Amino acid sequence: MLNKKNLIFLGGPGAGKGTVSNAMIAKYGVAHISTGDILRAEVAKGTPAGKEAGAIMKSGGLVPDAMVCGMVGERLKEPDCEKGFILDGFPRTIAQAETLATILDGMGKKIDAVIYLNVSDEIILQRLTARMNCRGCDAIYNKIFMPPKVEGICDKCGSELFQRADDSLETAKSRLAVFHKQTQPLIDYYEKLGLLYSCKSTELDEIVAELAKVLE
Ligand code: AMP
């Protein structure tokens, strides 16, 4: 059981937010709210929001605050969030963090901890360009650091693996620059609120064990 159960995972693209979230969800049964996943689903469905977001995502930029905040506000109302939730990839700007605080306040909830996955730019670029995602489930692999048993096939569900369009070297570099400029200020913001926990390890098992100590 998690004592601190409403969480934000902060970190650059490829810092491991999705991978650590998946492990924490399997262990604790909290809800996973990934704005990247929500946006990719909108793009795949071809909705108006998806059309607007798709081009921005391809370039590595951030989609408008109002769009993601609206999506997160709706998602937080779903019953599975009662057990706790991990916000993965949200907030990414100070404005989003402020809107999130207002949304949660209105629901009588609050963020219990912000986990910062502190990974160097060098490792991030190596990871992003070798990342593979499953078409069938949420599994994430890495050709170098965490390869699947059979190349191109998901160990968990047998579906095909693919590389995200925004994981090319060029877009990965832009996303990293966007992180430093727009998202990094959130580290200070949450530190001042006394909510930040910085995690330096890059090993999944070590991170999960460390988080158990801090959050259970
Ligand atoms: P991710 O899967 O978290 O790496 O997100 C992929 C892309 O979706 C990002 O590069 C942004 O273009 C967009 N995105 C995801 N979350 C947000 C957010 N909180 N604010 C703005 N754009 C976002």
Side-chain angles (χ1 to χ4, degrees), residues 150-206:
V150 178
E151 197 186 324
I153 303 291
C154 179
D155 294 350
K156 290 187 190 145
C157 75
S159 301
E160 183 197 12
L161 301 181
F162 72 102
Q163 184 181 41
R164 279 172 44 174
D166 58 353
D167 278 347
S168 67
L169 181 61
E170 206 180 314
T171 311
K173 280 185 180 163
S174 315
R175 289 163 66 206
L176 201 48
V178 167
F179 169 73
H180 287 307
K181 191 159 175 234
Q182 310 216 53
T183 308
Q184 207 153 337
L186 288 175
I187 297 167
D188 251 17
Y189 175 90
Y190 284 118
E191 174 109 73
K192 283 193 184 123
L193 291 176
L195 291 173
L196 196 80
Y197 180 80
S198 186
C199 220
K200 272 229 167 82
S201 172
T202 50
E203 291 298 320
L204 179 61
D205 293 348
E206 272 178 33

Side-chain angles (χ1 to χ4, degrees), residues 14 30-31 34 57 60 67 84-85 103 128 145 157 160 191-192:
V30 292
S34 156
M57 291 165 77
M67 187 192 289
F85 54 80
I103 293 171
L128 281 180
F145 305 112
C157 75
E160 183 197 12
E191 174 109 73
K192 283 193 184 123

Side-chain angles (χ1 to χ4, degrees), residues 13-14 17 34-37 39-40 53 56-65 68-69 72 88-93 96 128 131 164 166-167 175 178:
K17 300 184 298 293
S34 156
T35 40
D37 285 350
L39 288 165
R40 279 184 287 279
I56 301 170
M57 291 165 77
K58 237 186 215 160
S59 73
L62 294 185
V63 309
D65 289 338
V68 275
C69 290
V72 170
D88 162 5
F90 179 93
R92 263 173 153 103
T93 62
Q96 289 179 19
L128 281 180
R131 175 157 74 178
R164 279 172 44 174
D166 58 353
D167 278 347
R175 289 163 66 206
V178 167

